[in-house]
């Protein structure tokens, strides 16, 4: 269980084959304004990799981009809509195919409106993660240990969450609907970037 810190790109060959958990930290919530600062990635075997981008980065990152764009590698997110848009905007790749634990939770945990990562990890895995560093200065040239721990914890549990959520999606017959939502997610992110951020184009109004 180690958190590996890298500057500007992922080293080649550090990830086992198979699905990868992915998260991003940015300067804020408006993607074109608020630059991408950190991409976290984990193969689910116990280590997390943090790739930090400096102010003025060219976001070349060939190794990271290759992993994210690999059509053979499932990408696991929590609220992937935001991460996929940020990755598309700054790294120029569509990080699909996609699994989103927040969408899965919304489709299956209809007994609650609490779909945050902390709550999911608590209920499904019985573990506690801190969200204290969520709103912090991710553009700082020196990230604190608390920031690094937090960033890593955001990808640490996504493989296990997927396993648990899939059991429930299968049980309730909602796997196919979930898959259709995951498949649409890159397009939803594209709509965000193209000028329909909060407009529901399926709505009558
Ligand atoms: Mn995060």
């Amino acid at each position: 269980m180690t958190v590996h810190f890298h500057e500007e790109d992922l080293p080649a060959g550090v990830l086992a084959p198979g699905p990868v958990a992915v998260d991003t930290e940015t300067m804020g919530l408006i993607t074109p304004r608020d630059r991408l600062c950190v991409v976290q990635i984990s193969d689910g075997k116990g280590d997390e990799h943090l790739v930090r981008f400096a102010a003025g980065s060219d976001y070349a990152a060939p190794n990271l981009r290759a992993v994210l764009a690999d059509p053979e590698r499932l990408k696991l997110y929590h609220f992937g809509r935001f991460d996929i848009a940020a990755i598309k905007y700054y790294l120029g790749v569509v990080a699909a195919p996609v699994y989103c634990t927040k969408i899965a939770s919304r489709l299956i945990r209809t007994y609650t409106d609490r779909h945050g990562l902390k709550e999911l990890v608590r209920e499904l895995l019985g573990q506690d993660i801190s969200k204290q560093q969520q709103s912090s200065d991710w553009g700082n040239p020196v990230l604190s240990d608390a920031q690094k721990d937090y960033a890593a914890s955001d990808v640490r549990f996504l493989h296990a969450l997927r396993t648990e959520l899939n059991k429930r999606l299968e049980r309730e017959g909602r796997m196919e609907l979930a898959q259709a939502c995951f498949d649409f997610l890159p397009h939803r992110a594209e709509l965000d970037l193209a000028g329909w951020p909060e407009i529901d184009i399926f709505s009558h109004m």
Side-chain angles (χ1 to χ4, degrees), residues 18-153:
V20 285
V22 178
D23 187 38
T24 63
E25 305 301 335
T26 65
M27 288 300 293
L29 297 179
I30 300 175
T31 297
R33 181 190 71 185
D34 299 325
R35 70 179 175 88
L36 176 65
C37 299
V38 183
V39 176
Q40 306 99 288
I41 192 160
S42 172
D43 58 16
K45 310 290 184 206
D47 288 2
E48 293 89 28
H49 295 269
L50 315 184
V51 180
R52 197 270 297 279
F53 295 98
S57 173
D58 62 1
Y59 295 100
N63 296 330
L64 179 61
R65 285 163 54 145
V67 170
L68 293 173
D70 184 351
E72 301 298 315
R73 242 193 225 276
L74 183 65
K75 264 65 72 174
L76 319 179
Y77 303 92
H78 185 76
F79 197 57
R81 176 177 168 181
F82 180 82
D83 304 302
I84 292 162
I87 289 166
K88 176 79 196 307
Y89 190 84
Y90 288 96
L91 290 165
V93 294
V94 178
V98 168
Y99 186 100
C100 179
T101 53
K102 187 159 201 158
I103 290 172
S105 177
R106 283 189 188 278
L107 284 172
I108 209 63
R109 294 173 65 251
T110 44
Y111 48 83
T112 180
D113 58 2
R114 301 185 65 190
H115 301 286
L117 181 62
K118 183 180 173 66
E119 179 65 16
L120 267 187
V121 168
R122 192 196 62 74
E123 186 193 306
L124 275 70
L125 305 177
Q127 305 241 32
D128 193 46
I129 55 171
S130 166
K131 297 299 279 184
Q132 254 182 4
Q133 297 296 320
Q134 185 165 32
S135 306
S136 63
D137 181 12
W138 293 101
N140 194 320
V142 180
L143 296 181
S144 68
D145 287 344
Q147 281 179 307
K148 290 178 184 174
D149 283 348
Y150 164 75
S153 73

